[in-house]
Amino acid sequence: MSISVTGKLNKAANQFQIGEGKGFGVRVGVQFFNRETKEKEWTNYEAVIYAKVGAQADFYESVLVEGSVVEVSGSGCQIKIWVSDNGPVYSIAILDAKIGFVFSNDAPAPQSGVQPPQSSKQESFDSDIPF
């Protein structure tokens, strides 16, 4: 069974070193309407994304920040329970997590050194097309 969740990060990913790579722990909350209680409730998801040190880790570090919208997918999920002073806190851990999409206002804009071709012949041909 696979799983995919899209949500907003309420805080930046926790970063930690793993061997020659880097781990990024993210927590995503998804709001839903519970038809039994007639209330809006939350499902909490957590995932760890691994990256190689270098460009991949640098990219994740720049985009997995507070306010980013991310899509996290994985091969399955597992229920996690953490007991706090206020009682148990439940979350769903996404296994073998990967980032499929990320949007961050803080991320650097992609840059391209490729310029579109400039051709006066193409422009004159395009102007002759009747639609």
Side-chain angles (χ1 to χ4, degrees):
M1 173 188 91
S2 63
I3 183 171
S4 179
V5 175
T6 303
K8 186 176 180 180
L9 298 179
N10 290 325
K11 61 182 188 176
N14 295 325
Q15 299 179 32
F16 50 93
Q17 199 69 33
I18 295 187
E20 295 183 21
K22 202 169 195 180
F24 296 86
V26 294
R27 297 179 65 81
V28 178
V30 177
Q31 191 175 46
F32 68 97
F33 181 77
N34 185 328
R35 296 189 190 285
E36 293 174 9
T37 64
K38 308 287 189 232
E39 304 261 336
K40 287 184 180 178
E41 296 181 9
W42 291 87
T43 299
N44 298 311
Y45 296 89
E46 59 184 66
V48 175
I49 293 93
Y50 298 100
K52 294 179 182 178
V53 174
Q56 184 182 25
D58 293 345
F59 173 73
Y60 286 158
E61 190 172 331
S62 70
V63 297
L64 296 177
V65 296
E66 182 176 341
S68 293
V69 175
V70 297
E71 183 253 332
V72 182
S73 62
S75 63
C77 56
Q78 171 186 357
I79 295 177
K80 296 277 197 153
I81 303 170
W82 176 71
V83 180
S84 73
D85 293 338
N86 297 327
V89 177
Y90 298 90
S91 67
I92 298 172
I94 299 174
L95 307 174
D96 304 319
K98 294 172 181 41
I99 298 289
F101 168 83
V102 63
F103 172 79
S104 172
N105 285 328
D106 296 337
Q111 301 204 359
S112 171
V114 179
Q115 295 293 324
Q118 300 292 323
S119 170
S120 60
K121 289 181 184 177
Q122 184 68 30
E123 290 172 11
S124 65
F125 177 76
D126 288 346
S127 64
D128 293 339
I129 299 175
F131 52 88

